[in-house]
Each structure stands twice: as structure tokens, then as C-alpha cells.
Amino acid sequence: MSQVRVLGELAVLDDVGPPRRGRAYPAAGATSALLLPALVLLGGLVVWPVLRTLHASVTTNGHWVGVAHFRTALAAPGTGAVVGRTVLWAVLVPAVVTALGYLLAAASRRSQEGGLVRLILLVPVALPLVVTGVTFRLMYDPDPSRGLATLLAARLTGRSPEDAPQLLGPGLVTVALMSAFVWAWVGLAVLVFRAALDAVPPSLADAVRAYGGGRRHVLWDAQWRPLLLRTVAVVFALVAVGTSRTFDLILVMTPGSVRGEAAVLALRVWQTSGGTTTGEGAALGVVWLVAVVGGMLVAALFVRQAWPPPRAETPPDPGRVAPPRRVFRLLAAGAAVAWLVPLAVLVATSMHGRVDAAARGWWSAPPGVDSYRTLVTGTGLWRTLAFTLLLATVVTATVLVVALLAAYPLAWLTGPAAQATGLLLLAASVVPVQVIAGPVNEVLGLVLSSGTARGLALVHVALGVPFAVLVLRNAFADLPAEQVRGARLGGRRWWGTLRRLARHNLPAVVAVSVLEFVQVWNDLVVGLLFSGPEAAPLGLFLAGQTRSFVSNSGLLAASSVLASVLPVVLVVLARRQLVTGLVSGGVR
């Protein structure tokens, strides 16, 4: 865009042209300044720590040792089982979540109770994994007088309560953990599949039927081939990345005596090196990092096309879409009831005092509010909630500003440059924090004192920026040419143009804000690795109470309920924007 004088008057010439045609937005001189905050954060707290970990995995005190650390780490007792268990998590759990998500999305579609079913399934998505671990540990308590699932298992198998299957024992602990993770993530898959099913034009099914196709042909040719195969890849990739971050769930839900039988690489890397840089820990971290980033990049290449497809001029007519069969509607209703049971157990346990909750099951004693009264009159929980609220708000605002500044010039890249940028951002967004914890602490020791609130916030910002930039970059790039041209003509400076473009992409901005806020609010591992006595977030507070799980179960359940209210409300209110934000994070 340029300005010239015509007959003595200032005129604006619209030389913007169509978007994504190689024109820089803003001018090239300001691009470096806009990218600088994101580059500093990613370079100092993501890229350099990854390189430092790679260096530590092949050196000792600066001397090259090759693959010696890898041999030692992989030959350690139990490491083979840990690697195999990690692979099982990355393959089996996403497959189960994807299949259940599709079935429940199809079963709850176009029915009167479908909206309520999806809302119930969505609630666990917003819960901190610490709370999910607390909930299922209460359900799977090995004592049948307290554990509802243990009591039911004893009765179903015809055994005495003393011989009931131990769901948190060595043989079943991994299955129990996986069931908790599936419960927490199926709602997200349902939400994404529902959006995909709604985007399928009914005319495709009509065309298949017109050529003599049956129900099977309609399912394959009118749903799976045009859209749902790509959606499956998106959901599978999202859940697979989530399984690499099951550290919180394993740490809270498993008793210490069986934690070795449930360990995956996320836990083993932390146990090996913690927040320091060691050769064996770095070697395990490199193995884990290569697996996570490699798998995510393969999935990204598979789903590099835009998702969902461009909206039609006229949306599908709901009246033309047949509701699901009665048996499928009953399946969806039954799933909703089953998904409510863990929540009911958590709330019911929270309604009992310390003695009642520790001595007997919630169904054996009258409810009360003693646990809530203890929490409300104390100062520990309120201090933690206030700190976490301030931390999440500051981090979210900072991530949003940095991501908007960086996404603005990156949105107009085309061809290989755009694809390479997207892949790099995607790789940076899935780097496990345990892998880079030692080098990050070294950086914080140079620029800040380690264990401070500022250092904790800085780490959260650095970890949140890549995904936020990716989502906003793709949202900007998807804007129609008319809106881009209008923003350029209406904004005399780049910040005016950026403000107008952000207004056009309000759903993506809301999605990034809610996701980042909930991520910081629900976090445990970042707080465990980088917090200090004066900077203890909510996840660390809850995890600390699990050390005496049985005696603290009433207070712990009440704390978990109070800690879950805000993220659940945010996710439920922004559920439509969250779908848009999640799927726009795919790489084109």
C-alpha cells in the first residue's frame, strides 16, 4: 500500500494484492522487530536447551563419548519395559480415544439429548490431570470399603472383598492409568469429530445413494474419504502428543510401590536427571524427543491440508441429516452416565471430613461440608489460587501479545518457507519440558534467580509461544482477501492493521487465550521443575497433598473440586472457539 498526492489531495493506492502472494505484512523493516520477542524466547529457552541436551548426551565434562550414555541408559534395569510402555501409550490410547470419539460424536448427533451428552463428555477435558489422577485413585482404592471400582469388581468376579482385583496393583496399574486418560480426552475427540461431521455436505450422501450405494458406501464415500480420514489423523496426533505428557497422571495416581511398573519415559527422564543436566538423563531425553517430534511431524505431513474444508455458501440443512439409530442414542446416553460416575465420586468424597473419608466409603457416611469449611477458613489454598490466577493471567497475556506480533509477518509466507516455518513451530510446541529442564535452569540462573515466580512465568511463556504462533499464523493466512485488503486500507500503521486482523480472527484469539490459561492453571510438571518456596502453583499444592493420600482424601477431593471450577467454566463457554483453534494448528 502506498500514498501519493493526486490534484493536491492525499490518496491511498491499494497495492496490497491478494494475500499469501509473497508480499510482506508489515514492511520488511518492521518484520525483524516483530519476530524478535518470539525468537529470543524460543532461542534461549527451547532451541538452545535442546542443543545443550544433545551435546550432553554425547559428552562427559566436555569430552566426546559417543553413544556411551545411550548404552548405559538403555541397558539400565527396566528401561526396555519403560520404552515399550511408552510406545504402547502412544499407539493404543490414541486409537481407543479416536474410535470412541467418533462413535460418540455420531451417536449424539441430531438428537435431543446430544448436546447434554457432549457437554458431560467435555468436562473432563478441562480438569487438571492432577485432579483426574486424584479422582481415579479414589475410585480404584484397593480397599473395597473406600474404592467403588474395587467393590464392584469384587462383586462382578464373585470374589470376597479381600480378594478383589487390585486395579492399582502391579498387573493392572497401566490399564487403570490408561482408562483415566481415555476418560479425560474422549470429550475433545467428540468435539472435533462433531465439527467434522457437521461440515460434511448432505449432498454427498445423496449422490452415493443415487448411484445405488448402501449405508456402508455412504459412510466410506460420503464421510470418511472426503473428510474424516484427515480428522482421524488430527485427533490421533493430538492425543498421541497428550500421552507424552502423562507425567502428572502417573505421579499422582500410582502408589509409590508400583510406580516402577507404570513408568514411561516422561517419568524415567525426571527420575534420572530431575532439573539438572546429566549424560544418561540427556540420552533418554534425546530418545524421547526424537520419538515425539518425529511422530508429530509425520502426522503433520499427513494432515498438511487445511482443516476443516472451506465453508460452503449455504450450510448443511439439519433437516436433511437423519438422527442416529435408537441403539446408538442409548450408547451415547450410557457413556454420559458412565462419564459422570468419576465426577460424582470426587464430589461425594469432598463432602466428607478427614476421618470419614479415610475410614470408610463416601456411601457409608452422611455428607457434610467439613472439608470445605477447613479449606475456606485456611489460607494455604487461597494463597495458591491467587498466585496461580495471577501467573496464568500474566502468562496468557504475554503469550498472546508475542504470538500476535510473530504471527502477523509469518502469515504471508508461501511455499517451502511457510511449510518449514510451520513444521519448526510444531516441533517446538511438542518438546517435552523434562528433556530440557537442566539447560533451562542454567539459562534462568544466568538471567534470573532460579525458583522465582518470574522464572516460572518465563518458562511457561516460552513453552506456550510456538503453538500460539502456529494457530494465529494459520488463522491470519486463512482470512479472505477482502478482509485483508480492508484491514490494510483502514490501518495507517502496522499496529492498526494487526488490530483489525485480530478482530477478524477473534475465535482463534479466544482459543489461544483459553488454551494457554487452562494449560498454566492445570500444570504440575513445570511447577515441579522450576518453582520455589515463594512460587508454588496450584498443581504443586495438590500433588503435595497426595503424599498422605488416604488421610487427606477428603481435603484433597474438596481442593480438587475448587481447583477445577474455573478451567471447566472457561472450556465449556469457549468450546466452539477451541475446535477452531485446535484444528487450525495443522501444518499446510
Side-chain angles (χ1 to χ4, degrees), residues 172-457:
L172 295 175
V173 64
T174 297
V175 176
L177 287 165
M178 288 181 175
S179 67
F181 189 90
V182 169
W183 178 81
W185 278 73
V186 160
L188 176 63
V190 170
L191 208 62
V192 175
F193 274 116
R194 169 63 194 277
L197 288 169
D198 288 346
V200 176
S203 57
L204 290 177
D206 295 340
V208 173
R209 294 190 188 98
Y211 281 91
R215 184 180 295 271
R216 178 173 60 86
H217 299 92
V218 170
L219 177 64
W220 176 250
D221 294 322
Q223 291 186 358
W224 281 90
R225 288 180 64 184
L227 180 63
L228 292 183
L229 280 176
R230 190 184 307 144
T231 308
V232 165
V234 171
V235 173
F236 193 96
L238 288 172
V239 180
V241 171
T243 61
S244 69
R245 299 177 178 177
T246 54
F247 176 88
D248 303 13
L249 189 64
I250 295 174
L251 192 66
V252 171
M253 187 173 163
T254 57
S257 58
V258 298
R259 193 163 292 160
E261 285 75 11
V264 294
L265 281 174
L267 188 66
R268 179 59 67 92
V269 170
W270 173 70
Q271 291 174 332
T272 303
S273 59
T276 60
T277 304
T278 63
E280 294 180 20
L284 280 178
V286 169
V287 172
W288 185 23
L289 180 63
V290 170
V292 171
V293 174
M296 195 64 201
L297 292 182
V298 170
L301 291 174
F302 181 74
V303 297
R304 61 185 180 275
Q305 297 90 353
W307 190 102
R311 293 183 179 179
E313 294 295 332
T314 57
D317 182 10
R320 296 179 59 188
V321 181
R325 292 181 177 182
R326 182 176 180 82
V327 63
F328 292 111
R329 295 173 63 181
L330 291 176
L331 171 66
V337 173
W339 253 248
L340 279 175
V341 171
L343 295 175
V345 169
L346 179 67
V347 174
T349 305
S350 72
M351 301 295 291
H352 293 81
R354 181 187 296 270
V355 176
D356 285 341
R360 47 187 171 173
W362 51 267
W363 58 87
S364 303
V369 293
D370 291 345
S371 294
Y372 288 100
R373 184 181 296 113
T374 302
L375 290 173
V376 170
T377 55
T379 60
L381 178 64
W382 294 116
R383 187 184 303 111
T384 302
L385 287 174
F387 172 77
T388 307
L389 178 61
L390 178 61
L391 176 68
T393 302
V394 171
V395 169
T396 301
T398 306
V399 167
L400 188 60
V401 171
V402 173
L404 282 171
L405 294 178
Y408 180 44
L410 293 178
W412 320 114
L413 295 176
T414 58
Q419 293 183 2
T421 301
L423 291 175
L424 288 174
L425 289 171
L426 187 61
S429 66
V430 299
V431 172
V433 66
Q434 295 96 318
V435 174
I436 59 174
V440 168
N441 272 320
E442 293 174 8
V443 174
L444 294 179
L446 294 175
V447 299
L448 296 166
S449 57
S450 183
T452 64
R454 290 178 299 167
L456 182 62

Side-chain angles (χ1 to χ4, degrees), residues 106-118 194 323-324 329 332:
S108 62
R109 193 173 177 225
R110 309 302 181 193
S111 60
Q112 294 180 349
E113 70 279 4
L116 179 59
V117 169
R118 291 189 298 273
R194 169 63 194 277
R329 295 173 63 181

